[in-house]
Amino acid sequence: MARHTVAIGGGKGGVGKSLVSANLAIATAQRGYRVALIDADLGGANQHTLFGIDRPRVLLEHFIENKIPELGDALLPTAQAGLKIICGGMPVLGTANPNYAQKMRLVRHIQALDVDVAFIDVGAGVHFNVLDLFNAAEHKLLVLSPQLTSLHNCYGFLKASVHRRLQRTLDSDVRGQLTSSAPEQGDEHLSAVIGRISGLNLGEGEKASELLETTRVSLVGNMIRGSKDQHVIQAISSMIRDHLGIEAPVLGNIPYVERIERSVNERRPFMLWA
């Protein structure tokens, strides 16, 4: 059973989510841990490209389609000792939108992998499949760049993930109170929503409060060019705390370095460069 699961997400494509996932998985394996990296970006997988794997013989979609019985059967070795990867491959019609049973089966099998740490590289956007895979992990990282679109989408992604958890946790008679604070409906503080829920059903309000208190997420800034960019990432952390009531500390910032960009083009993760 996987001792720890870590989901790496981000509201916007192109912020370096897959790059962070790959290099973080390599760094963890280099410390002596058994690591699995699952490319769960079902609509646009690219970890196999980052690792220079041209034609993976087995893919995540094979598990989703029940062509292989165990998720572990899709694990492939990498150039880094201790790290195995599950490639997403090229999506075919239907695999980017697994049904709920398929999704929950995938989550169970990820948690059952015989590794120390399982990293899950989820897709961009706020589709339920993306949010559910992100929410299923024990630890959650959000990758963002200082670009305005990335900042907005990162905040929206986290808010949507919290709403998804609340919708799946609360009784149906109070779920309607979430509508006015839905990501597309503005930016009402979630504490106000929980207050209304508590007014209708104290037990459900306490359940919602506990969910927020136990939400653990960290931010990773990418393509950072100086102190100004660092302050922008920190400002989003503060905004998340002030508006969502969730602590989202900045785990670290990755500077913009040409060698990192070259590592992507050369299909060799930066952490494997000599």
Side-chain angles (χ1 to χ4, degrees):
M1 179 175 291
R3 293 174 57 191
H4 300 285
T5 54
V6 183
I8 299 93
K12 184 179 184 296
V15 296
K17 172 179 58 63
S18 294
L19 181 146
V20 171
S21 302
N23 287 284
L24 187 58
I26 293 169
T28 304
Q30 288 176 345
R31 296 178 71 88
Y33 296 101
R34 298 171 302 148
V35 180
L37 172 60
I38 300 99
D39 192 344
D41 189 343
L42 302 177
N46 58 18
Q47 286 291 352
H48 60 290
T49 302
L50 294 179
F51 278 85
I53 302 173
D54 289 320
R55 294 180 179 84
R57 58 181 174 78
V58 63
L59 306 169
L60 178 63
E61 66 191 47
H62 294 153
F63 172 77
I64 293 175
E65 296 173 343
N66 286 308
K67 294 179 179 179
I68 55 175
E70 302 290 335
L71 182 62
D73 296 337
L75 286 167
L76 299 176
T78 69
Q80 172 60 53
L83 171 62
K84 293 184 178 181
I85 184 174
I86 295 178
C87 302
M90 294 299 294
V92 298
L93 186 61
T95 56
N97 295 290
N99 60 42
Y100 185 75
Q102 290 173 317
K103 189 166 43 184
M104 291 302 99
R105 175 172 170 261
L106 174 58
V107 169
R108 290 193 303 271
H109 277 249
I110 291 174
Q111 294 170 341
L113 288 173
D114 185 21
V115 295
D116 296 311
V117 187
F119 289 96
I120 311 166
D121 179 7
V122 306
V126 292
H127 304 296
F128 285 163
N129 292 325
V130 174
L131 297 177
D132 288 342
L133 286 173
F134 184 76
N135 286 333
E138 175 189 7
H139 304 285
K140 303 171 180 65
L141 302 181
L142 280 175
V143 180
L144 65 161
S145 74
Q147 289 184 332
L148 184 61
T149 51
S150 173
L151 302 175
H152 284 174
N153 287 329
C154 174
Y155 178 83
F157 180 92
L158 180 56
K159 186 171 183 179
S161 74
V162 172
H163 272 264
R164 178 64 171 168
R165 288 186 68 197
L166 288 170
Q167 288 170 350
R168 300 208 61 85
T169 301
L170 301 178
D171 288 345
S172 57
D173 61 335
V174 298
R175 288 178 197 158
Q177 299 301 317
L178 296 171
T179 304
S180 63
S181 184
E184 68 275 9
Q185 297 293 333
D187 202 27
E188 181 184 19
H189 199 296
L190 281 180
S191 63
V193 181
I194 293 176
R196 291 201 304 272
I197 292 173
S198 297
L200 294 173
N201 186 318
L202 181 59
E204 291 301 290
E206 292 176 346
K207 190 188 300 183
S209 295
E210 182 179 0
L211 183 147
L212 284 185
E213 290 172 1
T214 57
T215 297
R216 298 288 181 267
V217 62
S218 299
L219 305 183
V220 176
N222 190 30
M223 296 180 281
I224 304 301
R225 296 177 183 267
S227 60
K228 181 179 179 180
D229 286 348
Q230 294 178 19
H231 293 154
V232 168
I233 304 300
Q234 188 60 53
I236 290 298
S237 173
S238 300
M239 182 178 176
I240 290 170
R241 181 192 63 235
D242 294 342
H243 289 271
L244 300 183
I246 296 171
E247 294 295 333
V250 179
L251 187 64
N253 289 303
I254 302 172
Y256 177 84
V257 179
E258 185 180 349
R259 286 183 63 192
I260 296 179
E261 184 174 356
R262 284 174 51 202
S263 74
V264 175
N265 295 331
E266 295 181 13
R267 306 174 66 197
R268 182 177 176 84
F270 180 77
M271 290 296 295
L272 290 180
W273 282 31

